[in-house]
Amino acid sequence: MSTMKRQRSDKAFNFTPFDLLTEEIVFLILDFLDENPLDKKSFSLVCKTFYAIESRHRRTLKPLRSEHLTTILSRYPHVTSLDLSLCPRITDSSLNVISHVCKSNLKSVDLSRSKFFSHIGISGLALNCSNLMELDLSNATEIKDSAAAAIAEAKNLEKLWLARCKSITDIGIGCIAVGCRKLRLISLKWCLGVGDLGVGWLAVKCKDICSLDLSYLPITNKCLPAILKLQHLEDLVLEGCFGIDDNSLTVLKQGCKSLKTLDMSSCQNVSHVGLLSLTSGAECLQQLILAYGSPVTLALADSLQNLSTLQSIRLDGCQVTCSGLKAIGNWCVSLRELSLSKCLGVSDEGFSTLVTKHKDLRKLDITCCRKITHVSIAHITNSCPSLTSLKMESCALVPREAFVLIGLRCRLLEELDLTDNEIDDEGLKSISRCSKLSTLKLGICLNITDEGLSQIGLCCTRLVELDLYRSVGISDAGILAVAHGCTGLEIINVAYCGEITDHSLMSLAKCPRLNTLEIRGCPLVTSLGLTSIAVGCKQLSKLDIKKCYNINDAGMIPLAHFAQNLRQINLSYSSVADVGLLSLASISCLQSMTILHMKGLTPSGLASALLACGGLTKVKLQACFKSMLPQPLFEHLEARGCVFQWRDKAFQAEVDPKCWKLQPEDVQ
C-alpha cells in the first residue's frame, strides 16, 4: 500500500504544465522555434517525452554528412523534405537508404551540391518515394539520359531543377516529358545538350508548366510557338539564348497571355522589333528583365509602352539613351521597381524625367551610374518618398550634401547601398531618420567617422546587415554604438578598418544573432576578442580573419569549443599554427577553409587537420603544399567530396584605399 502511495506522489511531483497540452498544441509551439537552429535541439534534450515529440514534429532535414543518414532518418520518421546540399558525397547506397526509410512520406529532395550518385540511386527514389514532388539535381554534371529516364518514373513530380546537367540530351528530356506530366516548374539552365526538340516535347506533353528556365540553351525559334501556347506559363527565362533573334520572333502571331515574368538578359540579337512580337498579347506581364541586351533607345521604350500591368523592369548593363529614359518616363504604367545598374549613358536629364513620372517606385538600383549628380538625387527624393530599397554604389559625382536629402525625404528605406560614395557624417545623421533600415552598406566611404555611425546605431535599431569595408574612419566607438543599439545584427563587415580592436569584438559579442563576421585586415584584433565572439555569438557561421596577424591558436581553441555552427573560415596570413587548425576538427559543420601564407603551419599539421575535419567540401591552399603532402591524401579527401583550389599568390602588402579608390576625374 505504501508503495502505491509513493508512486502516486512521484507522479504528482513529476507533473508539468505540458502534460495538459495535446501533441498538436506542442507542435504549434515548436513551429515558432525556427529562428535559432539550436532551440529545437535544446527542447528535445529536456526529457524523453520532449525528445519523442520533437522527433515526430520535424518535417525538414538538412544533414551535414551522409554517413549519418541511417541514424538521422530513423530518429525522424516523418520527414517530408530532405536537403542534402551540405553533403558533397551522396552515393547510390545513400539514396537507397533514403528511399527505403522515407518511402511515400518524402516529397522534396535537394541534391544540388552532391555528387557520386547515378541513375540507379535516382531510380530508387522515383520508384519508392511515390509522392516525390520536388527534385533538385542542379550541378550533377555526370548524369546522363539514363538518369533522366529514371526521373521519368516520378509520376507526381511537379518541380525539377537540372541546371548544368550538360550530359542530358533531347532524348532524356523527352523521357521526362512523357513520364512527368504534372511538371509545373523545370530549370534546364546550361543543359547544353538540350535543344528545340527536347524543349518542344516538354511544352507539348507538360501542359501545366508555370515556370520554365531555358537559359543558355542552343534553342531557336522552332520551339517558341509550342512554349507560348502553354496556358499556365507565368515565368519564362530565355537568358543567353543566342539562337533567338528578331527574325525568329517576328513570325510569332501572338505572345503568351498568362506570362508574368520574362527574362531576356544577354539576348543581344533581340531588339525592340523582336520584343514587340514576344510581348504582344502579354496582358499579365509584371516583370521584364533585359539586362546586358540591346541599347535602351526611344524605339525600344515605345515598343513596351502598352504593357499595362508592368511593375518591374531591369536594364542592368545596357547602353541607354536620354530619349529612351524619357520615353520610359512617359509610360502610362507606374513602375514599382527599376534597375539601371552599370548602365552606360545614364545622365541627369533622362533619369530625372523618368523618376519624376514614376512616383510609386519602391526599389531603385543605379549602381555605377557614374554621370548622375545631386540633380538626380534631388528628383529621386522628391518624387519617390515610398522607396524601400535604394542601391547607388560608386556614383562618384554625387556630392556629400546630396545624401542628406535621402534621410529627409525617404524615411521608409529598408535597404540602402552607398558603397564607394562621398557621404559624410552629416549624411549618416540624416539617414538615421530611416528607422526601418535593415541593410546598410557603407564600404569604401572614406568621409564617415564614429560620430555619424553612432547616430545610426542609436536610431536604426532594426539593422541586420552593416558593411563598413575599408571605411577607415571607423573605430571602436562607432562599432560599440551599433552593437549596443542594433542587438539583432546578423552580418557585419569591418574588413581593413585598421583602428578596430578587441573592444569592438567584445561589444559585438552581445549580438546573439550574429552569423557573419568579416574582420580581415584588422591588425589590432587579437585572440582575446575572437574568444568573446565565440562565446557570445553561437550562430556564427562565416568568419574571415585574413591578415589578423595577432590571432593565433589561443583564439582557435575557444572558437572550436563554442562556435559549433561555423561553416566557413578564412585563416590566411594569420598566426594560427598546427594546434589551432587541428582544434577546428571538433566543429562538425565546418565545410570551407582558406589557408594561405600561414607561416606557423607545417605540412604534417596541415595533413592531420585535413583528415580530422571530416565535413570539408572546399579548401583553398598554397600551391607549395601540393608537393609537400602525399598524393594519396588528396585522393582520399577528394573521394570524401572535398574540392581543392590551389593558389600560387605572393604575399600581398596592404594598400592605402585612397590610392586605388575611383576618383571623379576617372569618369570624365
Side-chain angles (χ1 to χ4, degrees), residues 22 25 35 56 73 121 145 178 183 191 232 247 267 313 343 345 374 391 393 402-403 509 529 538 541 547 592 604 621:
T22 64
I25 294 176
E35 194 169 290
R56 292 192 295 271
L73 292 175
D145 287 339
V178 172
L183 273 180
C191 290
H232 305 289
N247 292 331
C267 291
I313 185 166
C343 285
H374 68 284
K391 299 178 181 179
E393 176 183 347
F403 296 97
K538 299 293 197 303
S541 62
K547 295 188 178 180
S592 175
S604 59
L621 278 176

Side-chain angles (χ1 to χ4, degrees), residues 621-647:
L621 278 176
Q622 201 69 24
C624 62
F625 280 114
K626 198 169 187 177
S627 59
M628 295 180 184
L629 298 176
Q631 186 61 30
L633 170 68
F634 297 118
E635 293 174 356
H636 171 73
L637 294 171
E638 287 169 351
R640 289 196 322 202
C642 184
V643 175
F644 287 92
Q645 296 181 359
W646 300 99
R647 296 290 183 268

